[in-house]
Structure formats: C-alpha cells, structure tokens
C-alpha cells in the first residue's frame, strides 16, 4: 500500500516526498519518489524495464555488495537475486549482523548515516584500496 498509494500521493500533495521528516533520508523530488514507488512494485525492481537486465549482463567490474540481517526492505534472498543480474562481475557480498560490528541496528539506510562511519565505512575504503580479505588483509567482514 505504501508504494501504491502513500508515496505517490504524498509526493504529489507536497511536491516532493518528505522522507527527512520521517528520519529516513533526504527528501525526494516528486518525480523521483513516484519512480521509486513504481519500481518498488515491480518483481525485478528497475530490471523490470525492457532491456535493463541485458544491459547489465555485459557489465564487468569488481563489486562490493553489503547487506544487513536487519534490513527490512532488502532481505537476503532479494539482495542475492539482485546480484545475479551481474554475471560477469567479481562480487564480494558481505552480509552482516549489526552486533557483529558493534551496532544495535543498521536497517535499510543505516550504512549511510554518519554515526555509523567508524564501524562500517572502512569496509568500502578497504575494498576501494584493494585491501580486502581475499588479499590477506583484515577487514570487518573477517
């Protein structure tokens, strides 16, 4: 119901989606909120659009995918299904419980909150610097 009615209606009524008031993330412009609501109703999210899966099948790069056991929106099976869209990529998927990194909760957007940077962001930094666990260096996923 949220994706079908509440998000589009709030976006039209306010001219934007007031997600900051709800403590979620920055407010979304009206059209971005409506598009997000549309994709949220699709089985394959953005990959439901014609040709999208095919475009990403040829994409080749290293991907660090981080998910959390307490993410109420992106549950593990859905997250893994998303990663299957990138068959030519070398994917390092780290699925963490918040308590494993000394946090009570991370949820869907918590990774991006500044209060969690000391506990989580070094994982991405290590990946970008090429110092991930497969190279023998310790990171929070070890």
């Amino acid at each position: 119901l949220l994706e079908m009615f509440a998000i589009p209606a709030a976006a039209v009524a306010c001219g934007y989606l007031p997600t900051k008031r709800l403590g979620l993330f920055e407010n979304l412009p009206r059209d971005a909120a409506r598009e997000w609501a549309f994709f949220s109703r699709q089985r394959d999210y953005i990959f439901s659009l014609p040709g999208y899966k095919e475009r990403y099948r040829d994409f080749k790069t290293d991907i660090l995918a981080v998910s959390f056991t307490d993410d109420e929106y992106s549950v593990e099976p859905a997250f893994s299904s998303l990663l299957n869209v990138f068959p030519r990529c070398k994917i390092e998927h780290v699925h963490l419980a918040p308590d494993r990194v000394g946090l009570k909760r991370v949820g869907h957007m918590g990774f991006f909150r500044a209060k969690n940077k000391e506990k989580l962001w070094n994982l991405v930094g290590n990946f970008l610097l090429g110092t991930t666990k497969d190279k023998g260096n310790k990171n929070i996923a070890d």
Side-chain angles (χ1 to χ4, degrees), residues 25-134:
F25 42 82
E26 293 299 318
N27 294 327
L28 288 178
R30 182 193 68 221
D31 291 341
R34 292 173 70 199
E35 183 176 68
W36 176 45
F38 170 79
F39 288 133
S40 295
R41 294 188 308 266
Q42 308 307 308
R43 184 179 190 282
D44 291 328
Y45 200 60
I46 65 169
F47 302 107
S48 295
L49 294 175
Y52 267 51
K53 281 186 182 178
E54 293 74 22
R55 289 180 196 166
Y56 286 96
R57 279 198 184 108
D58 293 334
F59 189 67
K60 187 175 182 183
T61 192
D62 292 348
I63 294 175
L64 172 64
V66 183
S67 60
F68 297 92
T69 58
D70 69 335
D71 186 338
E72 62 278 9
Y73 296 107
S74 184
V75 295
E76 215 292 329
F79 198 90
S80 292
S81 177
L82 170 68
L83 297 179
N84 289 333
V85 174
F86 305 97
R88 297 187 68 211
C89 294
K90 179 182 172 198
I91 298 173
E92 182 178 337
H93 180 190
V94 179
H95 188 65
L96 291 172
D99 62 352
R100 184 153 179 229
V101 292
L103 296 170
K104 290 182 181 177
R105 175 156 170 64
V106 177
H108 189 62
M109 298 299 291
F111 180 89
F112 302 101
R113 298 192 192 286
K115 69 179 184 177
N116 293 331
K117 71 180 179 181
E118 297 297 321
K119 305 266 183 175
L120 298 173
W121 294 0
N122 65 322
L123 180 62
V124 175
N126 290 342
F127 178 80
L128 294 172
L129 293 171
T131 56
T132 58
K133 64 183 176 182
D134 62 337

